[in-house]
PDB file of all heavy atoms in Angstrom:
ATOM      1  N   ASP H 301     117.590 120.684  85.828  1.00 97.00           N
ATOM      2  CA  ASP H 301     117.095 119.407  86.349  1.00 97.00           C
ATOM      3  C   ASP H 301     117.667 118.236  85.573  1.00 97.00           C
ATOM      4  O   ASP H 301     117.975 117.180  86.147  1.00 97.00           O
ATOM      5  CB  ASP H 301     115.565 119.361  86.304  1.00 97.00           C
ATOM      6  CG  ASP H 301     114.927 120.238  87.374  1.00 97.00           C
ATOM      7  OD1 ASP H 301     115.669 120.739  88.248  1.00 97.00           O
ATOM      8  OD2 ASP H 301     113.701 120.431  87.332  1.00 97.00           O
ATOM      9  N   ASN H 309     121.173 112.670  78.236  1.00 96.00           N
ATOM     10  CA  ASN H 309     122.614 112.499  78.059  1.00 96.00           C
ATOM     11  C   ASN H 309     123.034 112.415  76.595  1.00 96.00           C
ATOM     12  O   ASN H 309     124.228 112.455  76.310  1.00 96.00           O
ATOM     13  CB  ASN H 309     123.096 111.244  78.791  1.00 96.00           C
ATOM     14  CG  ASN H 309     123.438 111.522  80.246  1.00 96.00           C
ATOM     15  OD1 ASN H 309     123.480 112.669  80.663  1.00 96.00           O
ATOM     16  ND2 ASN H 309     123.693 110.481  81.004  1.00 96.00           N
ATOM     17  N   GLY H 313     126.768 114.080  78.293  1.00 95.00           N
ATOM     18  CA  GLY H 313     126.851 113.133  79.397  1.00 95.00           C
ATOM     19  C   GLY H 313     127.168 113.896  80.663  1.00 95.00           C
ATOM     20  O   GLY H 313     128.316 114.298  80.867  1.00 95.00           O
ATOM     21  N   ASN H 318     125.572 111.942  90.131  1.00 97.00           N
ATOM     22  CA  ASN H 318     126.742 111.069  90.110  1.00 97.00           C
ATOM     23  C   ASN H 318     127.928 111.718  90.802  1.00 97.00           C
ATOM     24  O   ASN H 318     128.648 111.077  91.559  1.00 97.00           O
ATOM     25  CB  ASN H 318     127.150 110.742  88.667  1.00 97.00           C
ATOM     26  CG  ASN H 318     126.217 109.749  88.010  1.00 97.00           C
ATOM     27  OD1 ASN H 318     125.383 109.141  88.680  1.00 97.00           O
ATOM     28  ND2 ASN H 318     126.356 109.590  86.707  1.00 97.00           N
ATOM     29  N   ASP H 321     127.084 111.922  94.619  1.00 97.00           N
ATOM     30  CA  ASP H 321     127.000 110.565  95.179  1.00 97.00           C
ATOM     31  C   ASP H 321     128.383 109.923  95.248  1.00 97.00           C
ATOM     32  O   ASP H 321     128.743 109.318  96.251  1.00 97.00           O
ATOM     33  CB  ASP H 321     126.103 109.680  94.305  1.00 97.00           C
ATOM     34  CG  ASP H 321     124.617 109.887  94.583  1.00 97.00           C
ATOM     35  OD1 ASP H 321     124.285 110.613  95.527  1.00 97.00           O
ATOM     36  OD2 ASP H 321     123.799 109.310  93.846  1.00 97.00           O
ATOM     37  N   ASN H 489     136.642 107.241  81.749  1.00 94.00           N
ATOM     38  CA  ASN H 489     136.689 107.121  80.285  1.00 94.00           C
ATOM     39  C   ASN H 489     137.513 108.200  79.587  1.00 94.00           C
ATOM     40  O   ASN H 489     137.597 108.193  78.364  1.00 94.00           O
ATOM     41  CB  ASN H 489     135.287 107.072  79.660  1.00 94.00           C
ATOM     42  CG  ASN H 489     134.526 105.841  80.082  1.00 94.00           C
ATOM     43  OD1 ASN H 489     135.130 104.847  80.491  1.00 94.00           O
ATOM     44  ND2 ASN H 489     133.223 105.879  80.004  1.00 94.00           N
ATOM     45  N   ASP H 490     138.103 109.122  80.341  1.00 94.00           N
ATOM     46  CA  ASP H 490     138.990 110.107  79.711  1.00 94.00           C
ATOM     47  C   ASP H 490     140.256 109.414  79.232  1.00 94.00           C
ATOM     48  O   ASP H 490     140.602 108.337  79.711  1.00 94.00           O
ATOM     49  CB  ASP H 490     139.354 111.220  80.704  1.00 94.00           C
ATOM     50  CG  ASP H 490     138.753 112.553  80.281  1.00 94.00           C
ATOM     51  OD1 ASP H 490     138.552 112.747  79.075  1.00 94.00           O
ATOM     52  OD2 ASP H 490     138.482 113.384  81.158  1.00 94.00           O
ATOM     53  N   PHE H 502     151.732  95.463  82.862  1.00 96.00           N
ATOM     54  CA  PHE H 502     152.505  96.141  81.827  1.00 96.00           C
ATOM     55  C   PHE H 502     152.213  97.639  81.868  1.00 96.00           C
ATOM     56  O   PHE H 502     151.293  98.099  82.508  1.00 96.00           O
ATOM     57  CB  PHE H 502     152.157  95.584  80.450  1.00 96.00           C
ATOM     58  CG  PHE H 502     152.606  94.152  80.256  1.00 96.00           C
ATOM     59  CD1 PHE H 502     152.057  93.362  79.252  1.00 96.00           C
ATOM     60  CD2 PHE H 502     153.581  93.585  81.079  1.00 96.00           C
ATOM     61  CE1 PHE H 502     152.462  92.046  79.064  1.00 96.00           C
ATOM     62  CE2 PHE H 502     153.990  92.274  80.898  1.00 96.00           C
ATOM     63  CZ  PHE H 502     153.428  91.493  79.896  1.00 96.00           C
ATOM     64  N   TYR H 541     132.418 109.901  88.271  1.00 97.00           N
ATOM     65  CA  TYR H 541     132.829 108.855  89.213  1.00 97.00           C
ATOM     66  C   TYR H 541     134.107 109.363  89.862  1.00 97.00           C
ATOM     67  O   TYR H 541     135.206 109.232  89.324  1.00 97.00           O
ATOM     68  CB  TYR H 541     133.049 107.531  88.481  1.00 97.00           C
ATOM     69  CG  TYR H 541     133.587 106.440  89.384  1.00 97.00           C
ATOM     70  CD1 TYR H 541     133.045 106.248  90.651  1.00 97.00           C
ATOM     71  CD2 TYR H 541     134.644 105.637  88.997  1.00 97.00           C
ATOM     72  CE1 TYR H 541     133.539 105.287  91.488  1.00 97.00           C
ATOM     73  CE2 TYR H 541     135.143 104.656  89.831  1.00 97.00           C
ATOM     74  CZ  TYR H 541     134.580 104.489  91.080  1.00 97.00           C
ATOM     75  OH  TYR H 541     135.080 103.528  91.920  1.00 97.00           O
ATOM     76  N   ARG H 547     141.889 108.378  92.603  1.00 97.00           N
ATOM     77  CA  ARG H 547     142.812 107.253  92.500  1.00 97.00           C
ATOM     78  C   ARG H 547     144.134 107.718  91.878  1.00 97.00           C
ATOM     79  O   ARG H 547     145.205 107.377  92.346  1.00 97.00           O
ATOM     80  CB  ARG H 547     142.179 106.145  91.655  1.00 97.00           C
ATOM     81  CG  ARG H 547     143.026 104.900  91.558  1.00 97.00           C
ATOM     82  CD  ARG H 547     142.505 103.972  90.466  1.00 97.00           C
ATOM     83  NE  ARG H 547     141.155 103.482  90.752  1.00 97.00           N
ATOM     84  CZ  ARG H 547     140.184 103.451  89.859  1.00 97.00           C
ATOM     85  NH1 ARG H 547     140.385 103.876  88.624  1.00 97.00           N
ATOM     86  NH2 ARG H 547     139.003 102.972  90.184  1.00 97.00           N
ATOM     87  N   ASP H 668     113.342 126.512  79.443  1.00 98.00           N
ATOM     88  CA  ASP H 668     113.229 126.035  80.824  1.00 98.00           C
ATOM     89  C   ASP H 668     113.429 127.171  81.819  1.00 98.00           C
ATOM     90  O   ASP H 668     112.701 127.268  82.813  1.00 98.00           O
ATOM     91  CB  ASP H 668     114.265 124.932  81.049  1.00 98.00           C
ATOM     92  CG  ASP H 668     114.185 124.320  82.434  1.00 98.00           C
ATOM     93  OD1 ASP H 668     113.262 123.526  82.668  1.00 98.00           O
ATOM     94  OD2 ASP H 668     115.037 124.646  83.293  1.00 98.00           O
TER      95      ASP H 668
ATOM     96  N   ASP S  80     145.755  94.432  80.715  1.00 97.00           N
ATOM     97  CA  ASP S  80     146.212  95.360  81.757  1.00 97.00           C
ATOM     98  C   ASP S  80     145.663  96.762  81.525  1.00 97.00           C
ATOM     99  O   ASP S  80     145.318  97.475  82.464  1.00 97.00           O
ATOM    100  CB  ASP S  80     147.740  95.395  81.809  1.00 97.00           C
ATOM    101  CG  ASP S  80     148.326  94.142  82.442  1.00 97.00           C
ATOM    102  OD1 ASP S  80     147.553  93.338  82.994  1.00 97.00           O
ATOM    103  OD2 ASP S  80     149.556  93.966  82.375  1.00 97.00           O
ATOM    104  N   ASN S  88     142.482 104.936  77.070  1.00 96.00           N
ATOM    105  CA  ASN S  88     141.046 105.176  76.902  1.00 96.00           C
ATOM    106  C   ASN S  88     140.699 105.877  75.599  1.00 96.00           C
ATOM    107  O   ASN S  88     139.519 105.963  75.256  1.00 96.00           O
ATOM    108  CB  ASN S  88     140.504 106.006  78.083  1.00 96.00           C
ATOM    109  CG  ASN S  88     140.087 105.138  79.249  1.00 96.00           C
ATOM    110  OD1 ASN S  88     140.041 103.917  79.138  1.00 96.00           O
ATOM    111  ND2 ASN S  88     139.784 105.747  80.367  1.00 96.00           N
ATOM    112  N   GLY S  92     136.868 103.677  76.217  1.00 95.00           N
ATOM    113  CA  GLY S  92     136.729 104.065  77.609  1.00 95.00           C
ATOM    114  C   GLY S  92     136.352 102.853  78.425  1.00 95.00           C
ATOM    115  O   GLY S  92     135.208 102.413  78.394  1.00 95.00           O
ATOM    116  N   ASN S  97     137.479 100.592  87.899  1.00 97.00           N
ATOM    117  CA  ASN S  97     136.296 101.408  88.197  1.00 97.00           C
ATOM    118  C   ASN S  97     135.085 100.527  88.488  1.00 97.00           C
ATOM    119  O   ASN S  97     134.321 100.787  89.405  1.00 97.00           O
ATOM    120  CB  ASN S  97     135.954 102.307  87.004  1.00 97.00           C
ATOM    121  CG  ASN S  97     136.902 103.485  86.888  1.00 97.00           C
ATOM    122  OD1 ASN S  97     137.693 103.750  87.785  1.00 97.00           O
ATOM    123  ND2 ASN S  97     136.815 104.176  85.764  1.00 97.00           N
ATOM    124  N   ASP S 100     135.730  98.715  91.891  1.00 97.00           N
ATOM    125  CA  ASP S 100     135.771  99.700  92.976  1.00 97.00           C
ATOM    126  C   ASP S 100     134.381 100.267  93.239  1.00 97.00           C
ATOM    127  O   ASP S 100     133.960 100.394  94.390  1.00 97.00           O
ATOM    128  CB  ASP S 100     136.697 100.864  92.604  1.00 97.00           C
ATOM    129  CG  ASP S 100     138.170 100.555  92.849  1.00 97.00           C
ATOM    130  OD1 ASP S 100     138.482  99.487  93.416  1.00 97.00           O
ATOM    131  OD2 ASP S 100     139.009 101.383  92.459  1.00 97.00           O
ATOM    132  N   ASN S 268     126.779 108.513  81.767  1.00 94.00           N
ATOM    133  CA  ASN S 268     126.797 109.243  80.491  1.00 94.00           C
ATOM    134  C   ASN S 268     126.033 108.566  79.366  1.00 94.00           C
ATOM    135  O   ASN S 268     125.995 109.095  78.255  1.00 94.00           O
ATOM    136  CB  ASN S 268     128.229 109.548  80.028  1.00 94.00           C
ATOM    137  CG  ASN S 268     128.948 110.474  80.979  1.00 94.00           C
ATOM    138  OD1 ASN S 268     128.318 111.192  81.746  1.00 94.00           O
ATOM    139  ND2 ASN S 268     130.263 110.468  80.951  1.00 94.00           N
ATOM    140  N   ASP S 269     125.408 107.428  79.623  1.00 94.00           N
ATOM    141  CA  ASP S 269     124.579 106.806  78.590  1.00 94.00           C
ATOM    142  C   ASP S 269     123.323 107.652  78.391  1.00 94.00           C
ATOM    143  O   ASP S 269     122.933 108.414  79.267  1.00 94.00           O
ATOM    144  CB  ASP S 269     124.179 105.376  78.993  1.00 94.00           C
ATOM    145  CG  ASP S 269     124.802 104.346  78.063  1.00 94.00           C
ATOM    146  OD1 ASP S 269     125.068 104.679  76.899  1.00 94.00           O
ATOM    147  OD2 ASP S 269     125.032 103.213  78.502  1.00 94.00           O
ATOM    148  N   PHE S 281     111.500 118.905  87.037  1.00 96.00           N
ATOM    149  CA  PHE S 281     110.791 118.738  85.776  1.00 96.00           C
ATOM    150  C   PHE S 281     111.085 117.358  85.190  1.00 96.00           C
ATOM    151  O   PHE S 281     111.987 116.659  85.621  1.00 96.00           O
ATOM    152  CB  PHE S 281     111.209 119.823  84.786  1.00 96.00           C
ATOM    153  CG  PHE S 281     110.749 121.211  85.192  1.00 96.00           C
ATOM    154  CD1 PHE S 281     111.350 122.341  84.661  1.00 96.00           C
ATOM    155  CD2 PHE S 281     109.720 121.382  86.107  1.00 96.00           C
ATOM    156  CE1 PHE S 281     110.936 123.617  85.030  1.00 96.00           C
ATOM    157  CE2 PHE S 281     109.295 122.653  86.481  1.00 96.00           C
ATOM    158  CZ  PHE S 281     109.914 123.772  85.942  1.00 96.00           C
ATOM    159  N   ARG S 326     121.016 102.928  90.812  1.00 97.00           N
ATOM    160  CA  ARG S 326     120.083 103.998  91.158  1.00 97.00           C
ATOM    161  C   ARG S 326     118.803 103.858  90.336  1.00 97.00           C
ATOM    162  O   ARG S 326     117.691 103.972  90.845  1.00 97.00           O
ATOM    163  CB  ARG S 326     120.734 105.352  90.903  1.00 97.00           C
ATOM    164  CG  ARG S 326     119.878 106.525  91.290  1.00 97.00           C
ATOM    165  CD  ARG S 326     120.432 107.829  90.719  1.00 97.00           C
ATOM    166  NE  ARG S 326     121.731 108.148  91.283  1.00 97.00           N
ATOM    167  CZ  ARG S 326     122.772 108.561  90.564  1.00 97.00           C
ATOM    168  NH1 ARG S 326     122.659 108.692  89.249  1.00 97.00           N
ATOM    169  NH2 ARG S 326     123.924 108.828  91.137  1.00 97.00           N
ATOM    170  N   ASP S 447     150.385  91.827  72.675  1.00 98.00           N
ATOM    171  CA  ASP S 447     150.428  91.678  74.131  1.00 98.00           C
ATOM    172  C   ASP S 447     150.190  90.227  74.546  1.00 98.00           C
ATOM    173  O   ASP S 447     150.867  89.711  75.438  1.00 98.00           O
ATOM    174  CB  ASP S 447     149.371  92.596  74.747  1.00 98.00           C
ATOM    175  CG  ASP S 447     149.366  92.556  76.266  1.00 98.00           C
ATOM    176  OD1 ASP S 447     150.274  93.167  76.858  1.00 98.00           O
ATOM    177  OD2 ASP S 447     148.481  91.902  76.851  1.00 98.00           O
TER     178      ASP S 447
END
Side-chain angles (χ1 to χ4, degrees):
Chain H
D301 286 351
N309 273 351
N318 285 349
D321 279 353
N489 296 338
D490 247 332
F502 292 161
Y541 175 44
R547 183 193 297 135
D668 183 76
Chain S
D80 286 351
N88 273 351
N97 285 350
D100 278 354
N268 296 339
D269 246 333
F281 292 161
R326 183 193 295 135
D447 182 76

